Structure formats: C-alpha cells, structure tokens
C-alpha cells in the first residue's frame, strides 16, 4: 500500500483547523495565521497549500458538504421508494450537522455566498442537489414534485438555520418537516403553499 504524502495530511489538518477556528470565533473573522497555528504549522505553509483564507474556508465547506453527502447516501441506501423522502429529511437533521463548529461554518458560508462567486456556486450546487434528491423522492407521491421540493428545501434550510442560531438543536424537527411534507403531498398547491 503506498504511503500517504504530507500534503494531503497537512491539507486535512488545515481544513479541520479552519472549521474549529471559525467555530471558536463564531464567524469568518479569523486569520490564516490562527488557522495554521491551530493546525500546528506555519501560515506560509497554509498559504502554499490554499492561497488565502477564502480558499481554505471553501475547502473546509467542501469537506463538510462531502460528509453531508455521505450521510445522505447512507440514509438513502436503506430506504425504499416509500421511505426515501423521510430518510432524506432525517439525513438533513443528522447530529453531525449540529456540532458547534459546523454550525458556525454553515452560517459563515451563507454570509460569504452573498459576496463571493465561488461560495455562491458551491451553495448553488448544494441547493440543486437537495432539490434533485427531494424531487426524486417525491416522484409519484404528489402532483407537483418540483413545487413541493422547493418548499421542503426552503423549510429544511430554514429550520436548520433557526435551530442553529438558537442553539437548541433540532429534536423533533425531522418529524415536523416530514409532517409538513405529507401535508403538502396530500394537499398539493390547493393550500397555497
């Protein structure tokens, strides 16, 4: 088995340190120097691997999104067509998404996406994948899967952001979103949603 070089190890350490540092600060008001120090390396090495703070942060968000995608795939692997929607909703409220540092990274990411084209593109990819998964799960279960998927995607993000900002966690949120999903599927657009 080939040996893993230092670059991937150092990159992973910088990504983890970025999430931890943002979590400690609660915002993107961190420096590359502080990130590098937390990772146990020089800021010059951090700049060498990533360039600047935005590049390191985007790498950290790609890592978080990769972990999220793995949770979604795992949840969907055991789902039947009838339970796919519920599994997808539950995966969006997994406990790992509510670790304090991850919450801070997500909140900073939404803010950064308003002004940075790369962050906006990454957020758009996340939203499109969520919408696609929801539409697929809703196929054959309601009259307008695209509309219901849009409402559910907004609801998932909104519930997550509110719970994250309140620091209350999401106990019961997946069940509540599932209840709304079933109401939307049975009533469709007749109820004005």
């Amino acid at each position: 088995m080939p040996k893993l070089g230092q670059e991937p190890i150092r990159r992973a350490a910088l990504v983890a340190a970025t999430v931890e540092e943002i979590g400690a600060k609660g915002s993107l008001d961190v420096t590359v120097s502080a990130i590098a120090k937390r990772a146990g390396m020089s800021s010059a090495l951090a700049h060498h691997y990533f360039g600047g703070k935005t590049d390191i942060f985007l790498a950290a968000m790609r890592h978080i999104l990769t972990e999220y995608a793995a949770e979604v795939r795992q949840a969907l692997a055991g789902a039947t067509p009838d339970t796919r929607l519920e599994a997808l909703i539950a995966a969006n409220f997994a406990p790992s998404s509510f670790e304090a540092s991850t919450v801070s990274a997500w909140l900073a990411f939404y803010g950064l996406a308003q002004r940075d084209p790369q962050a906006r593109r990454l957020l758009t990819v996340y939203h499109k994948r969520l919408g696609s998964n929801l539409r697929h799960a809703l196929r054959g279960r309601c009259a307008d899967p695209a509309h219901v998927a849009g409402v559910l995607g907004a609801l998932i993000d909104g519930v997550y952001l509110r719970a994250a900002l309140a620091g209350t966690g999401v106990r019961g949120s997946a069940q509540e979103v599932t209840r709304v999903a079933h109401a939307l599927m049975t009533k469709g657009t007749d109820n004005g949603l």
Side-chain angles (χ1 to χ4, degrees):
M1 181 148 83
K3 274 183 101 174
L4 189 62
Q6 286 299 307
E7 182 176 346
I9 294 168
R10 288 178 179 157
R11 282 180 174 272
L14 285 165
V15 164
T18 300
V19 175
E20 291 170 15
E21 191 66 21
I22 290 168
K25 284 279 192 173
S27 73
L28 271 179
D29 190 24
V30 298
T31 64
V32 173
S33 177
I35 292 168
K37 182 177 179 181
R38 187 178 284 268
M41 61 188 82
S42 71
S43 59
L45 200 52
H47 281 289
H48 168 73
Y49 287 129
F50 289 104
K53 179 173 73 172
T54 299
D55 297 320
I56 295 172
F57 179 64
L58 290 175
M61 282 311 302
R62 283 186 197 93
H63 174 73
I64 288 171
L65 286 166
T66 298
E67 288 180 337
Y68 160 76
E71 289 201 28
V72 168
R73 282 191 303 276
Q74 181 181 358
L76 294 178
T80 67
D82 290 338
T83 62
R84 186 176 177 86
L85 179 64
E86 292 77 4
L88 181 58
I89 291 170
N92 277 275
F93 295 104
S96 63
S97 296
F98 287 89
E99 294 171 5
S101 56
T102 302
V103 168
S104 291
W106 270 104
L107 295 176
F109 180 53
Y110 271 87
L112 182 64
Q114 293 177 335
R115 64 182 188 281
D116 182 85
Q118 289 180 24
R120 188 176 314 112
R121 186 188 70 72
L122 191 56
L123 185 59
T124 299
V125 168
Y126 156 71
H127 282 140
K128 284 184 178 182
R129 285 183 183 159
L130 176 60
S132 175
N133 279 327
L134 287 167
R135 284 190 305 278
H136 180 74
L138 289 162
R139 239 184 264 152
R141 294 181 74 180
C142 65
D144 191 355
H147 175 75
V148 174
V151 172
L152 289 178
L155 183 61
I156 287 167
D157 282 352
V159 168
Y160 175 83
L161 290 171
R162 281 189 176 190
L165 287 169
T168 58
V170 288
R171 199 160 22 88
S173 294
Q175 292 83 5
E176 185 61 21
V177 172
T178 299
R179 188 192 62 71
V180 172
H182 286 283
L184 286 169
M185 289 187 301
T186 57
K187 295 178 184 174
T189 55
D190 297 339
N191 62 3
L193 291 175

